[in-house]
Amino acid sequence: MAIEEMKVRDAFRITPSQLTDNRGRFFEAWRIGELTELSGQPFTVKQVNFSVSSRNTLRGIHGTTLPPGQAKLVTCVRGAALDVVVDLRVGSPTFGMFDTTVQEADSGIGVYLADGLGHAFLALTDDTCMNYLCSTEYVPGTMVDIQALDPALGIPWNTTAELVRSEKDALAPTLSEAVALGLLPTYEQAVASYGPGHRP
């Protein structure tokens, strides 16, 4: 597999090598050793989530306060999605930056997000199913919501279709509003949660 750091610091795109024969396909989605070596962050799965979305559903941007934080490894297991990572860590070298990945079930591509990063996606097909491996159990009241259509972020969703969104996501503050309200984690908080193997 190939693991590459994305434009957002501490986010990684994982592209597996696939073996195909008369039975179908096989691939390793990820290995903890390789991911930990490159990211400098131990990743232990403590919760697994799935979302199923109709075409043109926009979910996010969602993050988590620190503490408790919640690193994620997100993979499309059915359908296709435009997956987006946004740096929500105030003081980060890539604060406010984003990167996109087209995730299709056949590709097996996954995206790893460290604590403090935000995640969103647009479902490109009906019945799009996303799998989330999470480093911590969800704690009610710790989710951070940011406006996915924030013009200052300028995420290219590349659709003119009417979007399907939750009321919570539609009413979420912009990035600058979230900063002013003190809702976002700091880069220092995030780095402290990554452990001693994280690069300076």
Side-chain angles (χ1 to χ4, degrees), residues 15-181:
T15 305
S17 299
Q18 302 198 21
L19 302 175
T20 304
D21 61 21
N22 61 311
R23 299 167 296 176
R25 293 176 296 126
F26 174 86
F27 60 90
E28 294 180 348
W30 65 288
R31 287 189 184 191
I32 191 167
E34 291 183 45
L35 183 58
T36 300
E37 182 179 350
L38 286 172
S39 69
Q41 304 159 36
F43 181 61
T44 302
V45 178
K46 294 187 178 178
Q47 182 170 320
V48 181
N49 301 330
F50 289 89
S51 66
V52 180
S53 305
S54 59
R55 183 183 178 92
N56 296 320
T57 292
L58 177 57
R59 294 182 185 259
I61 303 165
H62 299 149
T64 309
T65 61
L66 284 165
Q70 190 179 67
K72 301 181 185 76
L73 201 162
V74 184
T75 309
C76 180
V77 294
R78 187 171 62 240
L82 177 63
D83 192 84
V84 179
V85 178
V86 182
D87 195 339
L88 303 181
R89 304 166 300 180
V90 176
S92 165
T94 56
F95 175 71
M97 292 180 62
F98 67 86
D99 202 353
T100 64
T101 303
V102 175
Q103 289 205 38
E104 298 173 309
D106 287 347
S107 73
I109 291 174
V111 172
Y112 172 79
L113 303 82
D115 284 341
L117 301 182
H119 177 257
F121 74 86
L122 175 67
L124 303 178
T125 66
D126 282 326
D127 204 30
T128 291
C129 183
M130 303 293 280
N131 170 234
Y132 310 76
L133 304 181
C134 304
S135 65
T136 59
E137 296 181 23
Y138 170 68
V139 178
T142 61
M143 182 176 283
V144 175
D145 301 306
I146 301 296
Q147 178 57 247
L149 302 181
D150 182 351
L153 287 174
I155 299 171
W157 296 110
N158 296 328
T159 181
T160 58
E162 183 177 353
L163 297 172
V164 181
R165 307 179 74 194
S166 70
E167 182 178 7
K168 179 170 66 74
D169 285 352
L171 296 176
T174 65
L175 187 66
S176 62
E177 289 170 340
V179 171
L181 291 168

